[in-house]
């Protein structure tokens, strides 16, 4: 009996000491804990449209013509536009991921070129935690399938076309400016380099755009 009473006393003392050691006043309320979605959450739907410079070159999409210099065309520098649509999910303030489709159109005095692409898109916001005032600064990357054409304006010049790979990347910035439909809108400038690569054809473009984005979360 004496041993049992001593054990109970020791357990009670330990419990009281543990309770006294917890600084109740320092406990952070759950509403004040860091959130993974302070700036971006939910579905992400947006588009961008702008203009810039591009160029394209290659051979007709024919095995007999590829590599034949008589059938090679190069546009030189062209001016034009590029637009894209994207649907993603904001997994956290740092990363959004989803799908994208884009179309470009460039031309100069001798050539016109168009390109289409679609695939995966990722947007990253690396300064959210390091420099919170710059939480809207991000970088984008797109990867997928691309198809393009280079068509000469003067008669007699060879054209070029091909379908294979599309890649693109660039920085952007966005500001939140309105709350709608339970979410919010963001807008800002972006600078994007895109390229289409295939065996007979390739094109490159550097475009400055304005982007408008809807985030489904607050």
């Amino acid at each position: 009996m004496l041993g049992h009473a001593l054990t109970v006393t020791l357990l009670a003392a330990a419990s009281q000491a543990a309770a006294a050691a917890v600084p109740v006043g320092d406990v952070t309320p759950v509403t004040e804990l860091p959130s993974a979605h302070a700036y971006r959450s939910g579905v992400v739907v947006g588009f961008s449209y702008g203009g810039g410079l591009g160029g394209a070159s290659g051979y007709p999409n024919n095995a007999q013509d590829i590599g034949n210099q008589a059938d090679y065309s190069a546009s030189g520098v062209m001016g034009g536009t590029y637009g894209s649509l994207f649907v993603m999910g904001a997994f956290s303030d740092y990363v959004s991921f989803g799908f994208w489709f884009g179309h470009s159109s460039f031309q100069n005095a001798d050539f016109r070129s168009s390109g289409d692409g679609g695939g995966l898109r990722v947007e990253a916001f690396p300064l959210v935690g390091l420099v919170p005032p710059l939480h809207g600064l991000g970088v984008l990357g797109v990867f997928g399938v691309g198809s393009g054409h280079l068509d000469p304006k003067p008669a007699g010049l060879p054209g070029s076309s091909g379908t294979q790979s599309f890649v693109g990347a660039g920085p952007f910035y966005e500001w939140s400016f309105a709350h709608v439909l339970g979410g919010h809108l963001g807008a800002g400038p972006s600078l994007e380099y895109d390229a289409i690569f295939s065996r007979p054809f390739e094109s490159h473009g550097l475009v400055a755009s304005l982007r408008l984005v809807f985030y489904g979360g607050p």
Side-chain angles (χ1 to χ4, degrees), residues 131-162:
V131 189
L134 295 179
H135 65 82
L137 180 63
V139 291
L140 67 90
V142 293
F143 317 90
V145 177
S147 176
H149 300 267
L150 178 62
D151 301 310
K153 293 182 178 180
L157 293 177
S160 177
S161 64

Side-chain angles (χ1 to χ4, degrees), residues 41-87:
S41 63
V43 66
V44 183
V45 181
F47 73 92
S48 65
Y49 187 81
L53 301 175
S57 61
Y59 304 90
N61 195 4
N62 185 317
Q64 296 178 343
D65 297 322
I66 297 174
N68 185 351
Q69 289 302 310
D71 295 318
Y72 179 78
S73 294
S75 68
V77 178
M78 300 182 290
T81 60
Y82 174 75
S84 66
L85 299 171
F86 46 92
V87 178

Side-chain angles (χ1 to χ4, degrees), residues 36-37 39-44 88-93 95-97 215-216:
H37 295 285
Y39 305 108
R40 282 167 285 274
S41 63
V43 66
V44 183
M88 304 184 294
F91 292 93
S92 73
D93 286 336
V95 177
S96 296
F97 182 80
Y215 291 95

Side-chain angles (χ1 to χ4, degrees), residues 177-191:
F177 67 93
H179 290 271
V180 295
L181 301 175
H184 71 276
L185 295 172
S190 69
L191 183 66

Side-chain angles (χ1 to χ4, degrees), residues 98-197:
F99 303 95
W100 130 95
F101 171 80
H103 174 77
S104 65
S105 178
F106 295 93
Q107 63 177 320
N108 58 18
D110 298 318
F111 291 91
R112 63 172 57 91
S113 177
S114 64
D116 298 286
L120 300 177
R121 179 182 179 103
V122 59
E123 295 184 353
F125 301 83
L127 299 182
V128 169
L130 296 175
V131 189
L134 295 179
H135 65 82
L137 180 63
V139 291
L140 67 90
V142 293
F143 317 90
V145 177
S147 176
H149 300 267
L150 178 62
D151 301 310
K153 293 182 178 180
L157 293 177
S160 177
S161 64
T163 299
Q164 191 168 330
S165 302
F166 191 113
V167 295
F172 65 90
Y173 198 91
E174 65 181 26
W175 292 271
S176 298
F177 67 93
H179 290 271
V180 295
L181 301 175
H184 71 276
L185 295 172
S190 69
L191 183 66
E192 183 174 345
Y193 168 79
D194 297 301
I196 297 174
F197 296 98

